[in-house]
Every structure is written in structure tokens, then in C-alpha cells.
Amino acid sequence: MSYSSKYMRRAILLSERNVDKGGGPFGAVIVKDNKIIATGVNSVTAKNDPTAHAEIVAIRKAAKKLQTFNLSGCEIYTSCEPCPMCLAAIYWAHIDTIYYGNTKENAKEIGFDDSFIYEELKLSLPERKIKTQQYLSDKALGAFIKWNAKVDKIVY
Amino acid sequence: MSYSSKYMRRAILLSERNVDKGGGPFGAVIVKDNKIIATGVNSVTAKNDPTAHAEIVAIRKAAKKLQTFNLSGCEIYTSCEPCPMCLAAIYWAHIDTIYYGNTKENAKEIGFDDSFIYEELKLSLPERKIKTQQYLSDKALGAFIKWNAKVDKIVY
């Protein structure tokens, strides 16, 4: 597979239409074997779901449609460079390629926190804005030991 | 609000039970005003949803329950340090505090990609494992300009 402007135009059109509907200016399209598997638009405010960015919505739909948690062989076309949440989701989903329109700097200019969160993730835990503390590490490890010992586990 | 071992024990218990049910060893609890608002377990393989980490599941449920995309005033107790996807989601949700049990290094030891993705996010786009290319930036900007000009937009 390789870049097709048709799918990028579709992602951009979705982003524009979503503004008209009162949502954030973001759209995404997931393509496999030159067919659209799923699309998504930012639905944070419409659905009261802070995780409902265009890419997350599209990934969830594509995985449901293909009945797999592994989207290798897929490409994502997104109207804006993915935020850290969406980029990490793309890694977890094993999507092959990312095509994007706007940059995170463009997103910052219109008031979205993408760049800020990218900077936060680079910091050590005590340096971050959100207070983060470890507790009961000895107890927490039990589930990891159990998982590790499990012979029939489904790895992803 | 401040740390309570009761909620951390609950998150850990959820993580252990989830292994018994065939899921990943991760659990999370969201607390507001000393009440549990929502819980989540890793449901990636059970639900064929690569985004269904314990924290994401709990955030989505909490936001639905409280009917808001802004979870400020909430704390999250998670059996493992959040991966970049979940950490960024916690930022987007405006959760106040993160309490965690296992570290991302512990997660790496049992085969989860958290540390790898943290390292990838620090790299510039051309350095990353997933091929990432910008296209049609001039066209993509239209939705941002439209959003910026909108007087009745819901900012988050």
C-alpha cells in the first residue's frame, strides 16, 4: 500500500463536517488493501468521552469490524498529527503507516493540548503536572507473576 | 482527597481476577469524593479493542456516569503505571492524581510494550518505527480555521 490523496481528502472532509456538527476539527480514516475499513471523528464533547479522538474512534471501529485487536496491514489517514494518546493507540494496534495533515503545532495554535502532553510525557514522574505516586508495588506484582506463569495467555 | 490503600487494593484485585478470566493483568479504579465512580480491566483481547486498557475503560465509564468529558476532581488508582496512551488520556480527562502499583519496567519484563512506546514518543517523526508522513497540510488547515472562527464551540 502507499499514500492515496483520496483517503486524506476524506479524513479532511470528515474533520470539516465535524466542526459544522459542533465537534472538534478532527477526522480519521483506516484503510486496508485499498479499502476503507472505518472512519472516525472527534466525539469528545458529543459523547462525553475524553478518549473519543478521531483516531481512537476509527481504531475501535476497525478492530470491531475486522474482529481483531491487531490492525497490522492497515494505514491511518488523519487530518491532524496524532496526539500522544492516539499515537500510542496506533502502536498498540500495530498499524503500519500514519498519514497526517495538520501538525501538533497547528493544533496548539487553536487551543488543543497535544504539544503540552507530548512535553509532559518526556518528563520524569516527579516533574509532571499531574501528581503521580507509587504504592503497594509488592502486592501489585502478584498479577504480573500470575500472568507470566499462565501458559494459555493471549499475548498482544 | 488523598491516597487510600483501599482503592489501590481494589485495582490490584481487579488486575488479578482479570488474569483468571484470560485478560491482561491490569485493573483501574476512578475515585471522586471518596467514592468509586468507575472501574476498568484490560479488555483488549476479550473485546477486540486495542484501546481497551484498564485506565481507558475506567475513564470512559466514569465520564459516561458523570455525564462530562472533564474528570477534574477525580483520582485514578491503577495496578500499573499508565502506558503513554492511558497517561495522555488521563491528561485529556483532567484527572487530578495518579496512584499506581507496578512500573512500566515491570510491564516490560512480562512482555508489554509500554517502555518501547514511551521511547518512540520521544523521537522525531522520521526516527520512529511507524512510517509517518504529512500530506495536504494546506487543505487540512481549513477545518482548524473554521473551528477557530466558530463562536459557539465547546472547548475541552
Side-chain angles (χ1 to χ4, degrees):
Chain A
M1 288 195 291
S2 59
Y3 171 75
S4 159
S5 69
K6 178 173 66 173
Y7 303 125
M8 185 56 90
R9 284 174 197 278
R10 178 70 181 274
I12 292 169
L13 185 64
L14 287 167
S15 74
E16 288 168 353
R17 283 191 187 153
N18 203 44
V19 178
D20 297 336
K21 290 178 187 166
F26 306 98
V29 174
I30 292 177
V31 174
K32 188 175 188 182
D33 299 332
N34 288 313
K35 272 191 291 198
I36 291 179
I37 304 297
T39 65
V41 293
N42 184 294
S43 313
V44 170
T45 55
K47 298 262 174 77
N48 278 330
D49 180 356
T51 75
H53 287 197
E55 297 94 324
I56 298 280
V57 172
I59 287 171
R60 299 182 76 224
K61 277 199 223 171
K64 195 169 186 180
K65 190 164 174 181
L66 299 177
Q67 294 187 290
T68 174
F69 50 83
N70 187 321
L71 297 178
S72 55
C74 292
E75 300 178 322
I76 190 162
Y77 290 77
T78 172
S79 67
C80 183
E81 185 182 344
C83 84
M85 174 177 73
C86 295
L87 181 58
I90 289 166
Y91 274 93
W92 286 118
H94 300 285
I95 288 174
D96 293 355
T97 312
I98 302 165
Y99 302 117
Y100 69 96
N102 292 307
T103 63
K104 61 180 186 293
E105 289 77 21
N106 296 143
K108 185 180 179 177
E109 281 163 17
I110 60 159
F112 290 94
D113 277 344
D114 306 45
S115 300
F116 164 70
I117 300 176
Y118 268 107
E119 291 310 311
E120 284 286 298
L121 264 69
K122 290 178 190 166
L123 302 175
S124 70
L125 272 57
E127 293 174 307
R128 290 185 192 147
K129 289 278 188 297
I130 297 184
K131 189 188 148 201
T132 308
Q133 293 270 342
Q134 187 179 31
Y135 287 99
L136 295 188
S137 57
D138 53 334
K139 299 232 178 306
L141 207 57
F144 278 19
I145 292 166
K146 194 183 255 195
W147 167 266
N148 215 23
K150 200 173 164 76
V151 289
D152 60 345
K153 58 181 174 278
I154 305 170
V155 179
Y156 63 87
Chain B
M1 286 195 294
S2 59
Y3 171 74
S4 160
S5 69
K6 178 172 68 172
Y7 303 125
M8 185 56 91
R9 284 174 197 278
R10 178 72 181 274
I12 291 170
L13 185 64
L14 287 167
S15 74
E16 288 168 354
R17 284 192 187 152
N18 203 43
V19 178
D20 297 336
K21 290 179 187 166
F26 305 98
V29 174
I30 292 176
V31 174
K32 189 176 186 181
D33 300 330
N34 289 312
K35 272 192 290 197
I36 291 179
I37 304 298
T39 65
V41 293
N42 184 296
S43 313
V44 170
T45 57
K47 299 263 173 76
N48 279 330
D49 180 355
T51 75
H53 287 198
E55 298 93 325
I56 298 279
V57 172
I59 287 170
R60 299 183 77 226
K61 278 199 224 170
K64 196 169 185 179
K65 190 164 173 182
L66 299 177
Q67 295 187 292
T68 172
F69 49 82
N70 187 321
L71 298 177
S72 54
C74 292
E75 301 178 321
I76 190 162
Y77 289 77
T78 172
S79 66
C80 184
E81 185 182 346
C83 83
M85 175 177 72
C86 295
L87 181 58
I90 289 166
Y91 273 92
W92 286 117
H94 300 286
I95 288 175
D96 293 355
T97 313
I98 302 165
Y99 302 117
Y100 70 95
N102 293 307
T103 64
K104 62 181 186 293
E105 289 77 21
N106 296 142
K108 185 180 179 177
E109 281 163 16
I110 59 160
F112 289 94
D113 278 344
D114 306 46
S115 300
F116 164 70
I117 300 175
Y118 268 107
E119 291 310 309
E120 284 286 299
L121 264 67
K122 290 177 189 166
L123 301 175
S124 69
L125 272 58
E127 293 173 308
R128 290 187 192 145
K129 289 279 188 298
I130 298 184
K131 189 187 147 200
T132 309
Q133 292 271 340
Q134 187 178 31
Y135 287 100
L136 296 188
S137 56
D138 53 334
K139 297 230 179 307
L141 207 57
F144 278 18
I145 293 166
K146 194 183 255 194
W147 167 265
N148 215 22
K150 201 173 163 79
V151 289
D152 60 345
K153 60 180 173 276
I154 306 171
V155 178
Y156 63 88

